[in-house]
Amino acid sequence: MAAFVQRVSCFEKQMDTRFEKFIIHHPFLGPFIIFIGLPLVTLAVVGLCAAIAALAMAFAFGWI
């Protein structure tokens, strides 16, 4: 478990560093991606997971 937590922590630090470099190199595009792009991607992923779960339940109960 400790190895998994360490891996996740390392990945988080790498992504944070990459994101910081991106924002430094693209000062106008960075805030747009942070405040508009990431919420839209998150919403799309949540919607996709909900659709997959609903489809699985429909197949399980014989509705389709």
Side-chain angles (χ1 to χ4, degrees), residues 38-58:
L38 289 177
L40 286 177
V41 168
T42 303
L43 184 63
V45 169
V46 168
L48 182 66
C49 290
I52 290 171
L55 191 60
M57 288 180 59

Side-chain angles (χ1 to χ4, degrees), residues 1-11:
M1 185 66 181
F4 177 72
V5 171
Q6 185 179 8
R7 254 189 240 156
V8 169
S9 177
C10 182
F11 178 74

Side-chain angles (χ1 to χ4, degrees), residues 7-30:
R7 254 189 240 156
V8 169
S9 177
C10 182
F11 178 74
E12 181 182 4
K13 288 178 186 175
Q14 287 177 351
M15 290 305 294
D16 190 39
T17 304
R18 289 178 185 176
F19 219 53
E20 186 177 349
K21 285 181 183 178
F22 178 81
I23 291 174
I24 289 171
H25 285 93
H26 305 284
F28 298 110
L29 187 59

